[in-house]
Amino acid sequence: MDRVDDVAQDVAQDVTLQQEPPGGDAGRLLRVRFWKDVATTCGLPGGDDGPPGDDEDLAAPGGAFWVARRGGRPVGCVGVRLLDGGDAEVKRLYVDPAARGLGLAHRLMTTAEDWARERRAPRLVLDTHAALTAALRLYEREGFAQVERYNDNPDAQLWFAKPL
């Protein structure tokens, strides 16, 4: 491992993950940042308003939401929820630009995957937009494969699944 990798690993260890309500202060802040980033990249309306819906289905018992903090500051999040039929769906995966490159997206995805596996979900699924190329690369690295549409999200263009 070279010096840059050592520094990134040390910094990543300073990041904490904690399950929190998606409607809490940190959750709301990160979900608004997530949607602004997605809306800007994909040319979608409403970038300053936060994601459509309130994401309360990412709260227990049928879902979960984690906030990543670095030095006490919220820098990332991920939600997951159980769907009818048993699959678990990843929602609102976001890492602040200042915290990217530290492996945080992988940690967040692993946390969501572990939650889904504990609930015996057969698959982890997600939807995304084709313009989110960095996310597409992440999903491929995480073992997701493209599948047929499984929901009616009007903003999604691609659907992925990973067997658990």
Side-chain angles (χ1 to χ4, degrees):
M1 199 181 287
D2 65 18
R3 179 70 185 131
V4 172
D5 289 338
D6 290 342
V7 170
Q9 185 174 356
D10 290 345
V11 171
Q13 290 173 355
D14 292 337
V15 175
T16 61
L17 297 182
Q18 184 172 341
Q19 194 170 342
E20 298 187 18
D25 290 343
R28 176 76 182 143
L29 171 75
L30 291 164
R31 289 175 30 253
V32 167
R33 287 182 186 169
F34 159 85
W35 189 246
K36 188 171 189 168
D37 190 34
V38 168
T40 300
T41 302
C42 301
L44 302 172
D48 292 330
D49 302 329
D54 60 12
D55 286 340
E56 285 307 311
D57 56 350
L58 299 179
F65 187 81
W66 291 268
V67 171
R69 285 188 169 78
R70 182 175 175 202
R73 188 176 135 255
V75 294
C77 63
V78 69
V80 63
R81 63 184 175 189
L82 293 173
L83 300 176
D84 292 340
D87 288 338
E89 182 179 38
V90 174
K91 299 298 289 181
R92 312 298 180 231
L93 175 65
Y94 175 75
V95 176
D96 185 271
R100 291 179 185 165
L102 303 176
L104 185 51
H106 171 73
R107 284 181 60 193
L108 289 163
M109 286 295 283
T110 298
T111 300
E113 185 176 324
D114 290 346
W115 183 91
R117 193 172 275 117
E118 288 171 6
R119 281 144 189 86
R120 293 181 168 49
R123 301 185 309 167
L124 196 58
V125 298
L126 59 88
D127 61 38
T128 192
H129 194 282
L132 300 173
T133 57
L136 295 173
R137 287 190 303 273
L138 170 72
Y139 304 147
E140 183 178 306
R141 282 193 314 269
E142 294 293 323
F144 284 82
Q146 194 168 344
V147 296
E148 294 296 316
R149 174 188 285 263
Y150 68 85
N151 65 17
D152 60 358
N153 180 349
D155 299 319
Q157 297 178 330
L158 300 168
W159 293 263
F160 291 87
K162 177 181 181 176
L164 297 179

